[in-house]
Amino acid sequence: MPELSPAAHAILEVVRSIPRGRVANYAQIAARAGLIGRARLVAWALKQADAASAVPWHRVLRADGRIAFPVGSDAHALQLRLLRRERVPAVAGRVSRAFFAWQVDDLDRALWQPPD
DNA sequence: GCCCTGACGTGAA
DNA sequence: ATTCACGCCAGGG
């Protein structure tokens, strides 16, 4: 893939670190990549990366636990299938907070001290 | 430069 | 629960 900014690489690295069977939202990923408030950049980076590198993009959800793609779209259906394949349940169209890889307190700590 | 569009988030109404 | 206004910023026209 063509040149991605250092920020984009940092983002993809964080996405790669999401454990199988868990999910994370855009803001959390941005924060752990040292890019607080840059959730949209995470979305941008994923779009550039999808075909190029093997990142578990399907583990990235919106803050409310819903899939970012519009319901009914192919992408939405695919992501849901990939999540189900990892035993991540979506109740009423959204994933429970319990399945998020990093909880808020965890994230707060990460903001002051880099993750393990 | 200006304006609009996003795989977004947050807070307020 | 839903809307709305912002804040954010990379790209494209």
Side-chain angles (χ1 to χ4, degrees):
Chain A
M1 80 173 94
E3 18 277 271
L4 282 180
S5 68
H9 276 115
I11 287 169
L12 297 181
E13 194 50 45
V14 174
V15 175
R16 269 188 277 268
S17 77
I18 305 173
R20 199 175 70 83
R22 316 303 302 285
V23 297
N25 68 44
Y26 295 83
Q28 291 178 316
I29 292 168
R32 285 184 83 99
L35 301 163
I36 299 175
R38 308 288 311 277
R40 298 193 98 128
L41 187 59
V42 174
W44 180 88
L46 285 178
K47 185 186 288 185
Q48 309 309 310
D50 57 4
S53 56
V55 293
W57 60 271
H58 58 284
R59 297 179 193 148
V60 184
L61 303 176
R62 288 178 37 170
D64 57 10
R66 292 180 308 164
I67 288 175
F69 295 106
V71 266
S73 66
D74 290 0
H76 183 285
L78 173 59
Q79 185 167 4
L80 185 57
R81 193 163 59 73
L82 291 173
L83 287 172
R84 289 246 152 86
R85 200 165 73 182
E86 297 186 356
R87 302 293 141 93
V88 176
V91 180
R94 58 182 214 103
V95 170
S96 159
R97 292 188 47 171
F99 281 83
F100 278 77
W102 305 297
Q103 301 307 314
V104 275
D105 56 321
D106 194 355
L107 181 59
D108 287 340
R109 252 188 298 109
L111 293 182
W112 290 98
Q113 284 186 80
D116 323 282

